Amino acid sequence: MAIRRALAAHTTLTLAYVDEDGPQACAVLYATGGATASSSPAPDHAPDSAPGHRPDLGSGPALYFVTATTTRHGRALAEPDARVAFTVQRDGQEWGELTGIQGRGRCRILADAERAAGWRVYTERFPFVEQSDRLRDALERTTLWELRPDWLRLIDNGQGFGHKEEWQRPEGQPLS
């Protein structure tokens, strides 16, 4: 699916949040997995280019990133019911070929078996982490987060100016 491919094609997202000091944004490296770190992607049910197509992403992709809970954004994300918005895109694109993702969702800290599964996804995407003892040790002591989008929009001007595809988590479906 186009949305999954776009998420898999990039490694950096800009995460926006609000805390007691107001709105802020930060960039984080991320890896993406299926509905959970151990599940496979949902099958395609309609062509990506169908008019009004709403891709079947199952319960949605999971995005994994590392950041300490002592950072401003880490503290904000750890708040109960914290919501985030984010974008994913490559720098330096020409207007007519602009492609990117907009999204909203919630983040949560992973622990135990979920952390181990998310860590595998993260280090498969960034193998250099495992190749450096110093970096691996530092990141293993840092909090691993899962971002679960509840809404995603792909913008792909390469398919026509303003071309959009959207996905929304089905009503009442849990985040994990």
Side-chain angles (χ1 to χ4, degrees), residues 133-151:
D133 292 339
R134 183 175 170 203
L135 181 57
R136 182 185 61 245
D137 292 346
L139 291 182
E140 283 179 344
R141 289 189 308 270
T142 304
T143 306
L144 181 67
W145 297 78
E146 178 187 67
L147 167 53
R148 295 302 301 266
D150 50 41
W151 174 82

Side-chain angles (χ1 to χ4, degrees), residues 4 10 19 26 51 55 58-59 68 81-83 87 99 116 119 122-123 127 134 136-137 146 156 165 169-170:
R4 281 195 192 276
H10 302 286
D19 65 9
C26 64
S59 63
D81 298 320
R83 305 244 330 128
T87 62
T99 300
W119 184 251
Y122 192 83
T123 56
R134 183 175 170 203
R136 182 185 61 245
D137 292 346
E146 178 187 67
D156 187 353
E165 296 174 28
R169 180 175 312 287

Side-chain angles (χ1 to χ4, degrees), residues 114-129:
E114 288 182 318
R115 188 187 196 291
W119 184 251
R120 280 191 299 277
V121 172
Y122 192 83
T123 56
E124 284 174 12
R125 181 65 170 141
F126 303 110
F128 62 86
V129 170

Side-chain angles (χ1 to χ4, degrees), residues 74-97:
R75 288 188 307 272
L77 300 177
E79 288 294 316
D81 298 320
R83 305 244 330 128
V84 298
F86 63 94
T87 62
V88 174
Q89 70 281 325
R90 185 180 40 117
D91 286 344
Q93 297 183 69
E94 295 295 324
W95 186 261
E97 298 298 317

